[in-house]
Amino acid sequence: MGEANATARDEALSAAAEYAVTPSGLIEYQSRGRVIVIGGEEAIEFAPRLAEKGLRAEVLLTGGELEPGASVIPVGGRRLEVSGYLGKFMIELGEPGKHNFELVEADLILDLESKPILEVEIKPPGYLLADSANELSMLNALNQLAELVGTFEKPRYFDYNADICAHGRSGQQACSRCIDSCPTNAITSLTESIEVDPFLCQGGGVCATVCPTGAIRYVYPDAASLLNRLRLMLNRYREAGGVDAVVCFISDADNELVGAWPDNFLPVVLEELASAGMDIWLSTLAYGARSVRLVNGGSVPASVAGAISAQLEIAQTLLQGMGYKDGVVSMISGDELMLDKPAMPEIAAAGHAGLNDKRQTMYMALDYLVDRADQVSPEIKLPPGSPFGTIRVDSEKCTLCMGCTSVCPAKAIMAGNDVPRLQFVEANCVQCGLCSSACPELAIDLQARFLTDREQRQALVTLNEDEPFLCVSCGKPFATQSIINSVTARLGGHWMYQSERALRRLQMCEDCRVFDVVQDEEAMQPPMGRTGQDDPLNRH
């Protein structure tokens, strides 16, 4: 069986390698070789070696004594801030607008400090670290800097659709998963959307993995290409007589650390491990893999590994709720390859093609796995932060103002047309929390869960409804009973609504209210005794 699996694996990997991947756009860097070396006296000593490589070096001196003739910029106790990337680094010294402020530009940075000046987890292209006490480290840095002169291209790793982004709406902010997990600080908030700096982005892919809506997508390769390649690989493996396929996702940086793969292991080498998320893992199981393993050989930053683990918890909870074994999807180190892991039962392989729609891909995989499971819970409770769930509306608090419907990015919450009614489709809800944060009555709570019955999940349900309130003047419906009761209670003590006629205006539509005000001589008088002298706006 081992020999048959090995032969089948070779055929499967060969077929996958021949699959054409849709190319992404390119990002271009230009570096002319100006280097800033950050450090103390060791930086001054090292700088001349850069000139021997044709680089123009300048020292940003953080400590030690100045030496005559050296090209040095002393920090001198000023605030030091570094930003940018290969070919376009900016170093700010001091406070902008102050007399000692200085802006330094560079193509490359060599940081010799024991604690890097730039604390971001993954440094931008062109920002190198070296140990000044280690000659080999310094030599490696010297050679790398010499190679970073000229014009360079890299793929544009992401695509972003602001229309379905759950980061913000109407001044409210909610989902920040991509910002929180990005190890390069390439993603920033624009209040109601995000912005990704393509020059800082290095293709980690964790942003796409944690995004609940699919607003940010990994495109090198795109999800559809990766899924179709996986389907082809697994189909070819079975056709060639292979059994018990284990798909191992591994980053390009870690792949060379792995020796021989077991005969039934199908390695899938990615630019970065986090670029394949829950939609890919679940689809791989639906395509017939007995288990999925994410191999972390040490290249995955700690914050990214944490984000992957959180997604794994969600995936494993879903699979357990269907009766499948815990651990059929797992993250392992390179040393754990040979350890036995739980496996899926034998199921017929799904035949659906890959898509670039993350939500639809997850639902297709989940529904396929649900249909083939023996013990399925109708409702699977999920950890907070999961991309599936419902909302609970407190009908005693909710006034049906419909503020939640205007901020929902996924069209999960809807108004009931001409009827005061709040409706909801659970399949659309991504648990972003925008509805909850936008609710002025604090009437909405999130509940992460997954309904395994697709019809129940896709049903339009009513969360709250009320009788329409009819204008007491013209009879037109213009609000709900609860809104009018709430407004009347709040404004009952206001000086403008002390008369019966004024209170009655609160029960009128906008047009009738305006008409009644101009017909009411008392309402048209200034406040506080109705004299200009008593009007607080006329006081001096």
Side-chain angles (χ1 to χ4, degrees):
M1 186 62 69
E3 184 177 345
N5 280 345
T7 300
R9 180 188 64 192
D10 292 342
E11 291 193 24
L13 295 180
S14 177
E18 294 173 1
Y19 183 86
V21 176
T22 303
S24 62
L26 296 175
I27 302 298
E28 185 177 276
Y29 299 92
Q30 289 188 343
S31 169
R32 295 175 175 80
R34 184 184 179 189
V35 184
I36 294 294
V37 184
I38 304 176
E41 294 177 354
E42 72 280 2
I44 297 177
E45 294 175 3
F46 183 71
R49 297 175 63 179
L50 293 169
E52 295 171 5
K53 292 284 188 177
L55 302 168
R56 291 174 291 123
E58 197 167 11
V59 173
L60 189 64
L61 193 65
T62 57
E65 298 293 331
L66 292 173
E67 294 186 6
S71 181
V72 172
I73 304 170
V75 174
R78 291 177 290 178
R79 179 187 66 93
L80 171 57
E81 185 172 316
V82 179
S83 61
Y85 43 82
L86 176 64
K88 198 174 182 180
F89 282 106
M90 299 289 178
I91 302 173
E92 294 185 22
L93 296 167
E95 301 292 335
K98 299 293 181 66
H99 73 280
N100 65 345
F101 177 74
E102 191 171 357
L103 179 64
V104 181
E105 299 181 3
D107 298 309
L108 301 158
I109 291 179
L110 175 61
D111 191 340
L112 303 181
E113 294 286 280
S114 57
K115 181 181 179 182
I117 299 299
L118 194 58
E119 296 182 0
V120 61
E121 198 166 7
I122 294 181
K123 305 298 185 281
Y127 192 104
L128 277 64
L129 304 175
D131 180 0
S132 60
N134 186 319
E135 176 57 25
L136 181 58
S137 175
M138 297 295 282
L139 182 60
N140 287 338
L142 181 64
N143 292 331
Q144 289 181 59
L145 289 168
E147 293 173 357
L148 291 174
V149 178
T151 300
F152 304 90
E153 292 180 338
K154 73 167 185 180
R156 181 183 174 92
Y157 295 104
F158 67 91
D159 187 34
Y160 173 61
N161 180 1
D163 292 340
I164 59 173
C165 179
H167 179 57
R169 286 288 193 281
S170 303
Q172 300 289 332
Q173 289 188 3
C175 179
S176 61
R177 293 172 176 86
C178 61
I179 297 173
D180 297 338
S181 63
C182 179
T184 64
N185 283 3
I187 308 177
T188 54
S189 171
L190 298 179
T191 304
E192 296 191 3
S193 62
I194 63 164
E195 182 176 58
V196 185
D197 189 329
F199 293 95
L200 290 179
C201 173
Q202 297 186 55
V206 68
C207 54
T209 291
V210 301
C211 178
T213 65
I216 189 163
R217 296 191 299 113
Y218 196 79
V219 294
Y220 184 69
D222 62 6
S225 296
L226 178 56
L227 287 167
N228 288 329
R229 184 155 58 96
L230 286 163
R231 183 165 62 104
L232 173 64
M233 180 179 68
L234 286 164
N235 284 342
R236 188 65 57 87
Y237 180 78
R238 285 188 298 273
E239 291 167 1
V243 296
D244 297 331
V246 175
V247 173
C248 293
F249 294 102
I250 188 169
S251 72
D252 186 54
D254 289 337
N255 186 40
E256 60 184 27
L257 302 177
V258 178
W261 293 93
D263 294 334
N264 63 324
F265 280 42
L266 303 177
V268 178
V269 181
L270 305 170
E271 183 81 6
E272 298 290 346
L273 185 62
S275 63
M278 186 160 46
D279 52 334
I280 306 296
W281 311 334
L282 296 173
S283 295
T284 302
L285 295 177
Y287 288 150
R290 297 296 299 279
S291 67
V292 171
R293 304 190 188 185
L294 313 177
V295 185
N296 180 7
S299 70
V300 181
S303 65
V304 175
I308 294 175
S309 296
Q311 294 294 305
L312 279 172
E313 182 185 2
I314 298 169
Q316 290 171 343
T317 303
L318 286 164
L319 291 166
Q320 284 182 277
M322 302 175 199
Y324 298 117
K325 292 181 179 178
D326 182 25
V328 294
V329 182
S330 60
M331 184 161 59
I332 62 174
S333 68
D335 297 332
E336 297 174 309
L337 273 178
M338 303 305 294
L339 297 180
D340 289 336
K341 291 285 184 180
M344 292 281 289
E346 289 279 2
I347 62 173
H352 60 261
L355 300 173
N356 281 324
D357 186 315
K358 181 176 182 177
R359 297 284 293 184
Q360 189 172 348
T361 297
M362 285 195 290
Y363 279 134
M364 285 195 301
L366 287 166
D367 288 337
Y368 188 86
L369 294 172
V370 164
D371 290 343
R372 279 143 191 86
D374 294 330
Q375 299 176 347
V376 179
S377 300
E379 177 185 338
I380 303 173
K381 295 187 182 301
L382 297 175
S386 299
F388 309 109
T390 187
I391 61 173
R392 300 297 185 195
V393 176
D394 188 335
S395 59
E396 296 297 320
K397 295 179 180 178
C398 175
T399 61
L400 292 169
C401 69
M402 300 303 170
C404 53
T405 65
S406 65
V407 298
C408 180
K411 296 181 173 58
I413 314 175
M414 293 162 280
N417 296 321
D418 295 332
V419 180
R421 180 182 298 147
L422 193 63
Q423 297 180 300
F424 180 73
V425 177
E426 186 160 334
N428 294 349
C429 181
V430 298
Q431 296 284 286
C432 66
L434 273 170
C435 57
S436 178
S437 61
C439 178
E441 312 297 342
L442 303 179
I444 300 178
D445 293 312
L446 307 181
Q447 180 183 345
R449 70 176 187 181
F450 181 76
L451 296 179
T452 52
D453 186 313
R454 66 173 66 87
E455 291 186 4
Q456 184 182 0
R457 196 171 64 232
Q458 295 170 353
L460 182 66
V461 298
T462 298
L463 299 176
N464 192 21
E465 61 182 329
D466 198 358
E467 291 295 323
F469 191 90
L470 306 182
C471 174
V472 295
S473 179
C474 70
K476 180 178 70 175
F478 73 98
T480 65
Q481 295 280 351
S482 55
I483 285 181
I484 296 302
N485 292 339
S486 176
V487 170
T488 302
R490 290 180 182 181
L491 297 181
H494 195 277
W495 65 264
M496 290 180 61
Y497 299 98
Q498 296 305 300
S499 68
E500 287 296 324
R501 181 171 181 174
L503 282 173
R504 189 172 182 271
R505 270 198 295 274
L506 294 176
Q507 301 174 344
M508 297 180 183
C509 67
E510 183 178 356
D511 293 337
C512 293
R513 193 180 311 128
V514 172
F515 181 79
D516 188 73
V517 165
V518 298
Q519 299 297 318
D520 185 354
E521 293 184 4
E522 183 178 1
M524 297 301 291
Q525 292 294 320
M528 299 185 67
R530 308 297 185 262
T531 66
Q533 181 178 358
D534 291 334
D535 189 345
L537 296 179
N538 289 337
R539 293 178 182 174
H540 300 285

